[in-house]
Amino acid sequence: METLLLDSNTWLLVLTGAGVSAESGVPTFRGMNGLWEDQPVTEVASPRGFAKDPMRVWRFYSQRRAGAADVSPNPGHEALVAWERHLGDRFLLATQNVDGLHRRAGSQRVVEMHGNLFTSRCSNPDCTRPPFPDTTVYASGTVPGCKECGALLRPHIVWFGEQLDPDDLTRIESFAVKAMRSGGRLVFLAAGTSGAVYPAAGMVDNVRAAGGETWLVNLDASENASSFEHFVQGKSGEVLPKLGRLV
């Protein structure tokens, strides 16, 4: 296996996808065949679906909360924690996963691009209440309301048809810019994701254009694996603990 050198000159940007969580036993949309209770997942993961049936949406997310609470971080999560402790501010983890497993493992410099399953917010865009921690598994038939304005609460998740938070994208871009200005070695590693769709595809292209180093760790070879300088095929929980060499 190739070795990823993590020394005092390295700045590491990591992007994790559903494959990392799947190794802990977290169901993925792909594993659901795009369906939940014989309905397209978009019916429970979109603004339109929420407006149509908020009770069904909350039933779906309460089930996901219950399931995610029963799983634990895997060795892939733990390897990233070790890398972060070694690199400090020269490490940034961006994740597409919403299960919170990275933080539970001990990761601190995390950008949760798609939100967090255990956070809720008011569905009223004019409400001043900020997103807040919420681990409640609501009983079937329950739709929680906002204590500030009385509107319905919704999971703090980036749904289909919604845009990623510009502040998250700015934080990732700023990290890469700071790395390049430092004169250090910028490395982008995508794990548990195909790397073929946005934002992974954009990240690998931008880092390569800036002269950075790119790695892909995934169970399957994606259609754009050739866009990465290094491709290591396998489960992230098995590959990552052996991949990094801390010096």
Side-chain angles (χ1 to χ4, degrees):
M1 180 189 297
E2 295 183 86
T3 299
L4 172 57
L5 180 66
L6 300 174
D7 60 13
S8 60
N9 193 48
T10 301
W11 292 67
L12 178 61
L13 171 61
V14 178
L15 174 71
T16 62
V20 174
S21 292
E23 292 178 39
S24 287
V26 179
T28 66
F29 287 153
R30 181 178 298 178
M32 298 174 185
N33 296 317
L35 299 174
W36 181 74
E37 293 187 351
D38 295 325
Q39 295 291 321
V41 169
T42 51
E43 289 296 307
V44 290
S46 67
R48 183 182 62 81
F50 184 74
K52 180 179 178 181
D53 194 341
M55 193 177 298
R56 179 170 59 186
V57 170
W58 269 112
R59 187 166 72 252
F60 171 73
Y61 281 99
S62 288
Q63 287 184 13
R64 292 195 72 193
R65 282 181 177 179
D70 289 337
V71 302
S72 300
N74 62 59
H77 294 101
E78 294 165 359
L80 295 175
V81 173
W83 295 0
E84 178 182 359
R85 288 173 179 165
H86 180 68
L87 296 173
D89 288 337
R90 290 179 287 110
F91 176 95
L92 183 64
L93 170 60
T95 183
Q96 297 168 303
N97 301 329
V98 301
D99 48 57
L101 284 176
H102 284 297
R103 293 192 185 277
R104 284 172 56 188
S107 293
Q108 298 180 18
R109 297 166 178 85
V110 183
V111 179
E112 293 174 316
M113 303 177 69
H114 289 183
N116 189 296
L117 180 61
F118 297 99
T119 302
S120 296
R121 74 172 190 260
C122 184
S123 61
N124 175 9
D126 296 322
C127 183
T128 58
R129 186 182 188 184
F132 61 94
D134 184 8
T135 61
T136 304
V137 176
Y138 294 99
S140 180
T142 300
V143 179
C146 178
K147 296 180 181 179
E148 295 291 332
C149 72
L152 300 181
L153 291 180
R154 55 161 285 179
H156 186 51
I157 303 288
V158 179
W159 282 333
F160 292 105
E162 295 183 324
Q163 300 296 314
L164 298 178
D165 188 335
D167 289 341
D168 288 342
L169 299 178
T170 297
R171 183 179 175 190
I172 295 169
E173 181 180 353
S174 297
F175 176 84
V177 170
K178 188 174 181 180
M180 299 308 297
R181 287 179 176 173
S182 74
R185 163 179 166 253
L186 174 61
V187 179
F188 170 61
L189 183 147
T193 180
S194 69
V197 296
Y198 182 84
M203 288 182 180
V204 66
D205 291 341
N206 291 338
V207 170
R208 289 198 67 175
E213 190 176 317
T214 54
W215 291 72
L216 175 64
V217 175
N218 200 42
L219 188 58
D220 302 309
S222 64
E223 61 186 45
N224 79 326
S226 60
S227 296
F228 292 80
E229 294 176 69
H230 307 271
F231 170 52
V232 183
Q233 188 165 7
K235 295 181 177 180
S236 60
E238 297 175 357
V239 172
L240 295 182
K242 302 175 183 178
L243 182 66
R245 183 160 70 91
L246 311 183
V247 294

